[in-house]
Amino acid sequence: QVHLVESGGGLVQAGDSLRLSCLASGRSISTYAVGWFRQAPGKERNIVAAISWNGGSTYYADSVKGRFTISRDNAKNTVYLQMNSLKAEDTAVYFCAADRDWVVVTPPDYWGQGTQVTVST
């Protein structure tokens, strides 16, 4: 069983940066793909970024390309999402999720509880 806990969310102003962390426990996620998803009020949950087990492949939604960077430190069992140039439309609950398959095409098996990111203008 993989237990995921997100942290790093908060209230920031447009143009600011935040770094989200996703800490895994219960099992090493070094062989898991991990994705960051977000869900705004009244909207569907969508993928934001994903990273393969060794970091060799990444994926970004068009809306965050050039602003967000996903990375991982398998020694720390942690995946990060660096978010720069934040916009009001980035406001959402951010979730990390892990799966042995590529999380962009396969619904992940394991999910965190989410962390709120609010960007004010």
Side-chain angles (χ1 to χ4, degrees):
Q1 191 76 5
V2 175
H3 183 59
L4 303 173
V5 177
E6 304 92 338
S7 62
L11 172 63
V12 296
Q13 292 189 332
D16 285 351
S17 298
L18 277 177
R19 188 177 80 156
L20 305 183
S21 298
C22 173
L23 175 64
S25 61
R27 181 181 297 180
S28 169
I29 58 168
S30 62
T31 59
Y32 286 73
V34 177
W36 284 97
F37 297 74
R38 68 185 181 188
Q39 186 169 21
K43 296 188 177 181
E44 294 183 348
R45 185 163 55 187
N46 294 313
I47 190 166
V48 174
I51 189 166
S52 61
W53 66 275
N54 63 353
S57 297
T58 56
Y59 165 87
Y60 295 96
D62 287 343
S63 58
V64 306
K65 281 181 181 177
R67 300 188 298 123
F68 290 12
T69 303
I70 190 170
S71 62
R72 67 188 300 158
D73 185 338
N74 285 340
K76 295 183 178 180
N77 230 22
T78 302
V79 174
Y80 305 97
L81 185 67
Q82 178 67 43
M83 306 187 295
N84 299 329
S85 303
L86 282 162
K87 305 175 181 179
E89 50 263 44
D90 295 319
T91 295
V93 178
Y94 284 71
F95 302 86
C96 67
D99 197 275
R100 291 194 181 277
D101 293 326
W102 188 225
V103 296
V104 177
V105 296
T106 300
D109 284 338
Y110 303 104
W111 291 85
Q113 84 291 346
T115 186
Q116 176 71 46
V117 172
T118 303
V119 184
S120 65
T121 56

